[in-house]
Every structure is written in C-alpha cells, then in structure tokens.
DNA sequence: TTAGTTCTAGTCAATTTGACTATAACTACT
DNA sequence: AGTAGTTATAGTCAAATTGACTAGAACTAA
C-alpha cells in the first residue's frame, strides 16, 4: 500500500495517489488490486514488503511501516489468505520514476472504483491511519523531498486532512518542532517572495521493525 | 499478551500484571513465554487469539486488539515462525478467576526475567503501545470494572505511566470526556468521604477487526 | 466531638491555540 | 521605472487549555 503526492490534474495542488496492479488471473481477474505477493522462507516481513514494492513498481520507499495483518476467513473466495500489509510513503522524485504500464497504474486515493478482495477496506484503514499519524507524529515529511518550504508541508496536511489550515498558525507550529531545521537556501522561481527551504532531521517511527535499527 | 491490574504486594496500589506459560518442550524448555498457538484454517486471527487466551488462562478479555505481526528470520532457533500478536485488557473480576497452575503464572509487567524467543521485546513494545494509547485514547477503562471512581482511573494512569498525577486536574480532564457518565451511586467503605461512581459508555478501538462490528 | 482522610469545586497564572493584521520580498505587467 | 499581484513571514490579541495550588465537603475512627 503505497502513498505518494502528485499534483491534481485540475487544481495543480498536491493530492494523494496510490499505485495499483491489475489482476491477470482469477479470482477477480481484470480488477485492480494492491501490489503484493507471497512471503518466502528467507526474508523478513519488511524485506518481503520492500521486495514486492520493488518488483511491481520499481519504487524504493522513504518510509515503510507495517499496517495490519488481515486474516478474515472470506477474504479470497478460493482459499484462506492472511495478508500482512505494509504501507509506504514515497517522495515525489521517486514517484515520478515509478514504472507505469498496462497493468500498473496510479490512482487518486479518494477516487477508487471497486477493487479486488477486501482491498477497498484496507485502503480505507490505511487512509485513516495516515490521517491519524499526521495529526500527531511527524510523518508528512516523508512525502516530500529532502528540502521543502513550509507552504509545501502545509499543502500535504491540507491534502491528507482535507481541510484548509491557516498559513501563519501552521508555520508557528511547524517551526516549534525541533526536528525541522532551517536552511539558508530559498526556493526561487515563484511569482512572489521566495520562501525559505527547510529540512527534516527526524527518524521514522518506533515500530519493532524500525526501533532497533539506528 | 494479556494485561490486568492487580494490587501490588507491598503498597497495595494497582500495578500491571501479565500471565505467562512455561515452555514444556524445546526450544527454550522451562522458560516462561507468552501464551499462543497455531492458527487453524477455520478461524479468523481475532478468533484464534480469543481461543488461545481462553484455553491457556480461561480468560475472556474486555478488550482485544492486534498488536503487531513479528516475522524476523531468527525468532525461533528451530524454524521460521511468524507470530501475529494480539493484546488484551481484562477487568479485575475476570483476572481474579484466571487459572493459575504449575505452568501458568502471573508476573508483574515491570519485573520479568528472561523469556523464551523474542518475547521480552514483544512485551516491551506492547507496554510502549499501552502507554501511548493511554495518553491519547480512552482505553484505561477496559482495565476497570463497569463502575469505578475517578481516583481508580487515576491510579490506572499512574501505574501505567509510572508518574503521579494531580487528583484535581485529572478529575477535570476525565469529566470533560463525553464517554464518561456520572451515576448516582457512591462507593462506600473507605475511611473518607465516599466517592461517586462513574461508568464508561464508549466503544473499543477503530481497528479493522472492530470498526465494522457495532 | 475531634482528628484524619479523600473527594470535589474552585482560583489564578502560564501556556497554547485560533483568528486576524501588517509588512517584506519577490514577479509580471504597463 | 513604477505599480499591482502574490505569497512569505512576523506579530497581536482574545479564547481555550493546562499546571499548581487552596479550601471546603463528607465520610470514618478514635
């Protein structure tokens, strides 16, 4: 389950997109589904998630975390399947390089049709978790490049939380977080005063997969 | 992974306890471990967790949530094992009924020796999650009975967060949460003014397992 | 009756939040 | 060159929240 920001077609503002793969066999042949695959004996769960991500979309995520293990009895009509789902955030530069083909395509996260299996429910849950994490932790930065303006951060929040935020107040809050570092670079090229660039110096989450690896 | 409150032996204040089972075969024969067992083809993950809980300790939890799927390569020295761990909170009345035997015993969560497999790490993570959830959500009530005093709620917070809280300020905050309902009952029997009893009217979490079941 | 205890309501200053104003610094147009 | 348009950025002010504290209420035990 991969999230990336892409500019919306109309407004140009960033919105959440996710890549899906088309099912080429039954069940649900022809429908779109989350990328995934079996776990082998010689890789950890996180490694398997990375590998699947790499194989289907060519992406290397800047953030990868376990989402949930789905194990209901009737997730697949043909057999019992337990899916340990990971979710990833990728930076725009990465996302632009992603492979796209007949059977791999990006979709806006808020405009999905009916997907295979219980994948709509999985995505709903991932969106809920993303919004939740965003409200507390510092996760939005993994959707941006190394350098970013505070307005870009605000746009990420606005896209994910789907509401407008006061620019001045948002600034004040972000600047109060110690993980945000001011650079002395400015972003040129806009039709207005050039905004200062910042960078994020924090580490990912505190999950069992990540907490030990410093 | 089961949490319950029990009065500390010395101070009498509530502290966190967890039941462990003794390994009766290799690997780690003789060491204590978290209760658990294999997943069958005919039960969901949550059902399997409930069943294992019931079989080993006789407990029926008031709260059951998925913790994490652990899938490192070397968790067991003999074979590759993926454990989808659930954590439960049980009320004191339930916990008092729990089976205890030669091979099932309760331990204080902050005074554990070396356990089998990676179970120390799992418990550390569960404790971290419990503290986290407690700081935000309304989860402490699942460790208490149906009726409770605000001082009891505070004691739960103090036990889990391991720091003292101002009684008056804590009251104010708890009373501000809409899920807490005042009753017109009072708890008699103390050597002091009898405190009013409250009840919790909220629902569990918003996990995929729980969110649909109303 | 009094001392001891916790319960409970309340005050007050410090901090944080939300709404808003004003100036700074750039580009684009005339 | 000058001016309008735009976003960046700092700052103000009232409202809401939090933390430290005070004081009376209501019970038990002696």
């Amino acid at each position: 389950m991969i999230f990336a920001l892409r500019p919306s077609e109309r407004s140009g503002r960033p919105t959440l997109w996710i890549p899906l793969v088309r099912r080429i066999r039954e069940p649900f042949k022809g429908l779109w589904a989350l990328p995934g695959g079996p776990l082998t004996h010689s890789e950890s769960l996180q490694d398997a998630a990375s590998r699947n991500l790499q194989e289907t979309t060519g992406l290397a995520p800047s953030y990868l975390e376990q989402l949930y293990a789905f194990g209901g009895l009737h997730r697949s009509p043909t057999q019992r399947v337990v899916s340990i789902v990971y979710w990833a955030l990728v930076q725009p530069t990465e996302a632009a390089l992603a492979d796209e083909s007949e059977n791999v395509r990006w979709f806006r996260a808020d405009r999905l049709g009916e997907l295979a299996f219980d994948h709509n429910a999985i995505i709903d849950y991932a969106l809920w978790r993303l919004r939740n994490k965003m409200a507390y932790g510092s996760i939005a930065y993994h959707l941006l490049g190394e350098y970013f303006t505070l307005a870009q951060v605000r746009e990420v929040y606005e896209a994910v939380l789907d509401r407008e935020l006061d620019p001045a107040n948002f600034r004040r809050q972000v600047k109060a977080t110690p993980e945000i570092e001011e650079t002395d670079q400015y972003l040129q090229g806009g039709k207005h005063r050039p905004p200062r660039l910042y960078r994020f110096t924090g580490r990912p989450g505190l999950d069992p997969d990540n907490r030990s690896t410093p």
Side-chain angles (χ1 to χ4, degrees), chain A:
Chain A
M1 159 95 253
I2 303 136
F3 288 112
L5 291 177
R6 299 192 151 194
S8 142
E9 275 138 352
R10 272 200 299 282
S11 74
R13 295 169 170 276
T15 44
L16 277 179
W17 292 68
I18 63 181
L20 297 176
V21 300
R22 198 198 299 270
R23 297 274 308 164
I24 54 174
R25 62 178 76 170
E26 294 294 349
F28 300 108
K29 184 174 175 183
L31 283 189
W32 294 95
L34 292 169
L39 174 70
T40 73
H41 279 272
S42 59
E43 59 189 356
S44 70
L45 299 179
Q46 179 140 247
D47 290 346
S50 292
R51 180 181 52 76
N52 266 295
L53 190 52
Q54 169 65 38
E55 284 175 5
T56 51
T57 62
L59 286 168
S62 65
Y63 183 89
L64 183 63
E65 187 192 10
Q66 193 180 106
L67 176 67
Y68 201 76
F70 294 86
L73 290 178
H74 309 297
R75 299 185 56 242
S76 164
T78 53
Q79 57 188 329
R80 171 70 187 282
V81 181
V82 173
S83 300
I84 300 178
V85 180
Y86 277 71
W87 59 304
L89 305 181
V90 300
Q91 304 188 341
T93 48
E94 287 276 0
L97 300 173
D99 304 334
E100 209 158 357
S101 68
E102 173 72 15
N103 294 323
V104 178
R105 198 191 300 167
W106 288 78
F107 295 85
R108 276 189 61 157
D110 55 351
R111 292 186 194 165
L112 300 172
E114 193 199 331
L115 307 181
F117 305 105
D118 54 352
H119 290 188
N120 287 98
I122 293 176
I123 292 173
D124 284 348
Y125 179 60
L127 276 168
W128 178 83
R129 269 269 285 267
L130 177 62
R131 296 199 176 98
N132 241 38
K133 278 230 162 189
M134 196 98 96
Y136 298 114
S138 39
I139 193 182
Y141 311 102
H142 300 285
L143 284 167
L144 295 167
E146 188 180 359
Y147 298 95
F148 47 81
T149 70
L150 297 186
Q152 286 170 337
V153 180
R154 179 168 49 81
E155 283 178 326
V156 177
Y157 273 80
E158 290 179 338
V160 174
L161 302 180
D162 196 29
R163 63 192 172 93
E164 301 210 331
L165 300 170
D166 181 89
N169 292 338
F170 185 81
R171 278 183 77 72
R172 185 174 51 192
Q173 286 203 335
V174 173
K175 293 196 75 166
T177 56
E179 295 158 319
I180 300 298
E181 194 179 86
E182 200 176 276
T183 74
D184 40 12
Q185 312 252 90
Y186 293 82
L187 180 65
Q188 309 290 340
K191 320 183 177 194
H192 50 76
R193 173 174 175 179
R196 187 187 286 273
L197 289 171
Y198 295 78
R199 70 194 310 179
F200 177 67
T201 60
R203 302 255 81 249
L206 292 147
D207 283 47
D209 281 337
N210 297 323
R211 56 186 0 193
S212 42
T213 344

